């Protein structure tokens, strides 16, 4: 230990019983270190109170911390907002030596996501950030990326059971439970509620439907659920499947859309004369959902902040690349409950 009481990497190496080179690899997240050795170093960090000189760590790096952020394209306007947040937050982060590279791929395209992940090399990026699809091919691609020394972060939709290093997003099961608690109070007992999702292969949609169904079963057993239909977060598919749902169940009293495709859902409600008559709860404040709130076709929107999520991704990347003390611990992201009046208030109307 230095005379000023500061714990050094030499002290850490002695405490962990490993070489300085091994300590350096662990601290900088480089490959080639056994899991047991990493755990020994991490235990020694906690035991002796080692704290990294993060400024020196960044100066010692030959490049900025680089994040490749893969965001789906398509008619899902939330992902457009997420892509915009990558650009705006990325511009702010350049001064902190974080570089955010945006990659757009076709939505719900497993092959495209695998190809994008496989195309990222450890020599060009430190982290890969993905909106995950829960399929074996994605799990395998994540494992390959991790094997190349890349830190993988799931964004918005998680990939539990995979080799990914972290997840950034709202608590989607809690969001579904909030929606269920509200819907149960909106719809009279004996009513029927239709469920809509983009795809149950998206963990965020599956968890929202799961949380909603839990509340219905536990607190509102007199309400019946039908669905979910899966519109792939696309306008046309959601519109067409919504019409089929409405025609098959004209007694519907409520709709919970756990995914996107809200513009298609709203068009279907309007065509069948159901807008304003059926209670509707959805996700993400976009152009169509804002308009739906204003006209009364949508009752509640549960919203998340793309900017907050990208900032949280940057903090997660810092911790993964530089060490746990490189950024404050991750906190739970806010789920905003929006109705027409507080949206109007925020807009100054």
């Amino acid at each position: 230990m230095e005379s000023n009481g500061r714990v050094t990497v030499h002290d850490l190496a002695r405490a962990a019983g490993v070489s300085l080179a091994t300590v350096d690899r662990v601290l900088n997240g480089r490959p080639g270190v056994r899991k047991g050795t990493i755990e020994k170093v991490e235990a020694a960090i906690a035991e002796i109170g080692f704290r990294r000189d993060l400024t020196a760590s960044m100066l010692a790096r030959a490049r900025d911390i680089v994040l490749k952020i893969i965001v789906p394209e398509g008619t899902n306007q939330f992902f457009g907002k997420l892509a915009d947040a990558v650009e705006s937050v990325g511009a702010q982060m350049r001064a902190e030596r974080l570089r955010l590279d945006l990659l757009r791929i076709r939505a719900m395209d497993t092959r495209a996501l695998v190809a994008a992940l496989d195309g990222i090399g450890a020599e060009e990026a430190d982290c890969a950030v993905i909106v995950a699809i829960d399929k074996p091919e994605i799990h395998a691609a994540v494992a390959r990326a991790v094997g190349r020394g890349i830190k993988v972060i799931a964004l918005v939709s998680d990939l539990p059971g995979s080799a990914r290093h972290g997840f950034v997003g709202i608590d989607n099961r809690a969001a579904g439970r909030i929606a269920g608690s509200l819907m149960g109070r909106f719809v009279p007992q004996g009513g029927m509620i239709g469920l809509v999702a983009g795809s149950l292969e998206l963990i965020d949609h599956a968890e929202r439907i799961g949380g909603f169904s839990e509340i219905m079963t536990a607190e509102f057993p007199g309400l019946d659920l039908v669905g979910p239909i899966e519109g792939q977060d696309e306008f046309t598919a959601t519109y067409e499947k919504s019409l089929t749902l409405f025609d098959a169940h004209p007694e519907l009293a409520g709709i919970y859309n756990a995914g996107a495709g809200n513009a298609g859902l709203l068009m279907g409600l309007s065509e069948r004369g159901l807008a304003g008559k059926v209670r509707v709860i959805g996700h993400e404040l976009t152009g169509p959902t804002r308009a739906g709130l204003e006209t009364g076709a949508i009752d509640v929107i549960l919203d998340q902040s793309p900017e907050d999520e990208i900032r949280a991704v940057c903090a997660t990347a810092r911790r993964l690349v530089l060490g746990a003390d490189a950024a404050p611990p991750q906190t739970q992201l806010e789920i905003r409950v929006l109705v027409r009046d507080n949206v109007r208030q925020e807009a100054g109307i």
Side-chain angles (χ1 to χ4, degrees), residues 78-208:
F78 172 74
F79 287 136
K81 293 175 66 176
L82 192 66
D84 290 343
V86 173
E87 301 286 6
S88 61
V89 174
Q92 300 165 16
M93 290 295 156
R94 291 307 297 267
E96 300 180 29
R97 292 196 59 192
L98 268 74
R99 194 182 89 209
L100 280 56
D101 292 344
L102 175 64
L103 307 175
R104 302 298 301 270
I105 63 169
R106 181 179 173 184
M108 311 292 251
D109 189 327
T110 300
R111 289 184 179 179
L113 182 50
V114 168
L117 257 181
D118 284 345
I120 299 172
E123 71 285 349
E124 62 175 312
D126 300 280
C127 300
V129 183
I130 66 169
V131 179
I133 306 170
D134 190 18
K135 285 193 171 183
E137 300 97 311
I138 305 301
H139 283 256
V142 168
R144 289 193 296 272
V146 171
R148 296 194 300 276
I150 297 169
K151 311 296 186 185
V152 178
I153 302 168
L155 172 62
V156 177
S157 188
D158 199 4
L159 196 63
S162 72
R164 62 101 173 111
H165 293 83
F167 167 64
V168 171
I170 62 171
D171 182 336
N172 286 292
R173 188 166 293 275
R177 291 174 67 87
I178 292 168
S181 294
L182 292 170
M183 187 67 80
R185 289 163 173 79
F186 290 167
V187 175
Q189 290 297 298
M192 177 176 287
I193 299 166
L195 302 178
V196 182
S199 170
L200 296 183
E201 291 178 340
L202 296 172
I203 292 296
D204 57 333
H205 294 190
E207 288 182 341
R208 292 171 187 175

Side-chain angles (χ1 to χ4, degrees), residues 78 82 154-156 167-172 174-175 178 303-313 316 330-336:
F78 172 74
L82 192 66
L155 172 62
V156 177
F167 167 64
V168 171
I170 62 171
D171 182 336
N172 286 292
I178 292 168
D303 191 47
Q304 55 189 312
S305 167
E307 292 81 10
D308 288 350
E309 286 171 330
I310 298 303
R311 291 189 191 97
V313 163
T316 299
Q330 184 170 331
T331 57
Q332 187 61 59
L333 293 167
E334 179 185 11
I335 303 168
R336 297 201 306 158

